[in-house]
Amino acid sequence: MLTLPPLSLYIHIPWCVQKCPYCDFNSHAQPEVIPEQAYINCLLDDLRADLKWVQGRPLQSIFIGGGTPSLFSADGIARLLHEVEGLIPFADDIEITLEANPGTFEAERFAGFSKGGVNRLSIGVQSLIEQHLKRLGRIHDPAQARAAAELAGELRQQGLLSSFNLDLMHGLPDQTEAEAISDLDGIIALQPPHISWYQLTIEPNTLFASQPPTLPDDDTLWDIYEQGHQRLAAAGYEQYEVSAYGKTGHRGQHNLNYWRFGDYLGIGCGAHGKVTLPAENRILRTEKVKHPRGYLDLSRPYLYRSWDVAKKERVFEFFMNQLRLLEPALKSSFVDYTGLSLEDADQVLKKSIQQGLLTNKSDHWQTTPRGRLYLNSILTELVEV
């Protein structure tokens, strides 16, 4: 029997100043005038159509992603959050994150976002080296990135933010090991409570995929990771997921809900959702209309498609997310949130356990240090069984 997991909300704002060559997210170059109020109206109507899936739960977290959500006005974000709360109650300790670019224009709005209900910012720095920012197609410079991080720190000291995250990539085109570590040292010096430090991957349907850049070799990438991990640990950051590092009390709650196989409603262009329906023994995936023009067409439904997560897929999806975390995967959570038996898990995990990639305890499974290095092998095994 399925048990309802915690509920989150993802809100997608699709516009960017320009498309970055590595980005495979659903983003579109902004029009001359962004239809902010019309889009917010559609977001709220979209959410109203999804209320049947709330099932009495409060929202534990909200993540406003994109695109570049910080292109919206502070008043627009405040109105959106106020009306969302009128539709679904907020948990007392709700985490509300907004993705932001560190350009001056957006940074000036940070205080307004926090006053409107945002209590956590996620700032896309990506690098503090000018040549790499240009290679990545970013429109800010290192000084703007530092200024944005310092402003977020000031807002936190004033009690207007509870936390903030800085995104940083490594393994960039023609990046040396020394440059990657220098970048990380620069981010640590800004003292964010949370750092997302991840390796650049070339995704299909991106400019980098059609015109592949020269990336560091595997030995260099491994040396970068080892040195970087040591620096982060020495600075008081705890790694709790493959690419997520937080100081005590500053883990990203929204992504944790994803990784723990929680539920989330997804509203906005191309947003995905996952909802559990215990009475029907179903787990449902949803996807909204992808293009802004179609999404804003009031003659069309916002829901593009929905589909059931089959039994075998539930096993894969649970472990695909959960095994990214360094914490144990609780057997009780597997049974509760997939509606399956432990035998269903044992069948697909057996080989990874025998190979020493996973430990199997009475109440949990957990990746071993070797298993973390071969996580893709574990997931491939789940697909093939």
Side-chain angles (χ1 to χ4, degrees):
M1 180 67 180
L2 286 166
T3 299
L4 278 175
L7 180 66
S8 295
L9 173 66
Y10 175 74
I11 302 173
H12 191 77
I13 295 177
W15 292 287
C16 283
V17 174
Q18 64 183 34
K19 186 84 170 180
C20 296
Y22 60 87
C23 177
D24 69 335
F25 294 129
N26 182 31
S27 60
H28 304 263
Q30 68 183 75
E32 187 174 337
V33 177
I34 294 176
E36 179 177 308
Q37 292 305 316
Y39 190 74
I40 290 172
N41 290 340
C42 288
L43 287 172
L44 294 168
D45 283 344
D46 189 358
L47 182 58
R48 291 184 187 99
D50 285 359
L51 291 179
K52 58 184 175 293
W53 292 322
V54 173
Q55 302 171 90
R57 292 171 289 180
L59 287 176
Q60 301 296 324
S61 66
I62 298 174
F63 194 98
I64 307 173
T68 307
S70 53
L71 290 175
F72 270 33
S73 69
D75 287 344
I77 295 297
R79 177 203 161 201
L80 173 61
L81 292 174
H82 174 74
E83 297 207 29
V84 168
E85 187 174 16
L87 295 171
I88 309 175
F90 288 1
D92 291 340
D93 59 349
I94 188 171
E95 174 194 89
I96 302 177
T97 302
L98 181 135
E99 283 188 330
N101 272 355
T104 302
F105 182 69
E106 290 91 346
E108 290 173 349
R109 303 183 182 195
F110 286 4
F113 292 140
S114 64
K115 291 174 183 176
V118 172
N119 56 27
R120 183 176 184 268
L121 290 171
S122 184
I123 304 172
V125 173
Q126 312 310 0
S127 178
L128 291 171
I129 298 174
E130 181 76 33
Q131 70 191 59
H132 293 308
L133 287 173
K134 289 181 177 178
R135 190 72 175 88
L136 293 172
R138 306 297 290 175
I139 61 172
H140 65 271
D141 60 35
Q144 289 173 319
R146 291 188 175 91
E150 289 167 1
L151 176 57
E154 291 170 7
L155 293 173
R156 181 171 169 245
Q157 289 178 350
Q158 296 166 17
L160 294 174
L161 288 177
S162 59
S163 190
F164 67 95
N165 166 69
L166 299 183
D167 273 352
L168 179 70
M169 289 196 288
H170 64 276
L172 306 180
D174 302 312
Q175 184 184 49
T176 65
E177 179 181 332
E179 287 173 332
I181 298 305
S182 174
D183 248 354
L184 182 58
D185 286 341
I187 290 293
I188 291 172
L190 293 169
Q191 301 183 52
H194 190 281
I195 296 173
S196 296
W197 186 56
Y198 55 97
Q199 181 184 326
L200 170 66
T201 56
I202 304 301
E203 302 290 350
N205 304 315
T206 63
L207 182 60
F208 275 177
S210 61
Q211 302 174 25
T214 301
L215 301 180
D217 59 35
D218 287 345
D219 287 342
T220 300
L221 290 172
W222 177 247
D223 290 342
I224 290 171
Y225 173 79
E226 279 199 317
Q227 284 193 58
H229 181 73
Q230 291 170 6
R231 276 171 155 76
L232 285 160
Y237 292 92
E238 178 189 12
Q239 183 186 25
Y240 64 97
E241 187 267 343
V242 171
S243 58
Y245 296 78
K247 294 202 170 179
T248 302
H250 290 280
R251 294 183 175 190
Q253 296 306 306
H254 189 85
N255 282 344
L256 273 175
N257 192 44
Y258 286 161
W259 297 324
R260 290 170 176 165
F261 208 52
D263 276 1
Y264 51 96
L265 305 178
I267 61 172
C269 294
H272 288 250
K274 169 193 170 276
V275 290
T276 301
L277 304 171
E280 303 171 36
N281 193 29
R282 296 171 65 201
I283 297 176
L284 193 67
R285 291 281 182 185
T286 64
E287 181 182 356
K288 302 301 172 62
V289 172
K290 189 171 184 178
H291 197 280
R293 186 168 53 250
Y295 188 83
L296 288 162
D297 181 353
L298 300 181
S299 68
R300 301 177 53 172
Y302 301 107
L303 182 64
Y304 171 63
R305 63 178 181 138
S306 63
W307 64 98
D308 283 85
V309 182
K311 176 180 176 180
K312 181 179 179 181
E313 292 169 343
R314 293 183 194 183
V315 178
F316 173 74
E317 290 195 11
F318 178 88
F319 287 110
M320 175 185 67
N321 291 288
Q322 180 71 63
L323 294 181
R324 290 178 61 89
L325 295 170
L326 273 62
E327 68 185 25
L330 299 178
K331 294 184 175 181
S332 59
S333 294
F334 175 82
V335 173
D336 289 344
Y337 296 162
T338 67
L340 304 176
S341 68
L342 293 179
E343 288 74 20
D344 292 310
D346 290 337
Q347 178 182 354
V348 299
L349 297 179
K350 183 177 180 180
K351 184 174 180 180
S352 294
I353 293 169
Q354 290 174 341
Q355 293 174 331
L357 305 179
L358 290 174
T359 57
N360 183 16
K361 302 298 183 180
S362 60
D363 62 346
H364 71 268
W365 305 277
Q366 190 166 21
T367 51
T368 63
R370 182 166 175 265
R372 290 171 202 152
L373 298 177
Y374 294 97
L375 183 57
N376 287 338
S377 297
I378 300 174
L379 298 179
T380 299
E381 187 67 26
L382 295 179
V383 174
E384 294 175 349
V385 172

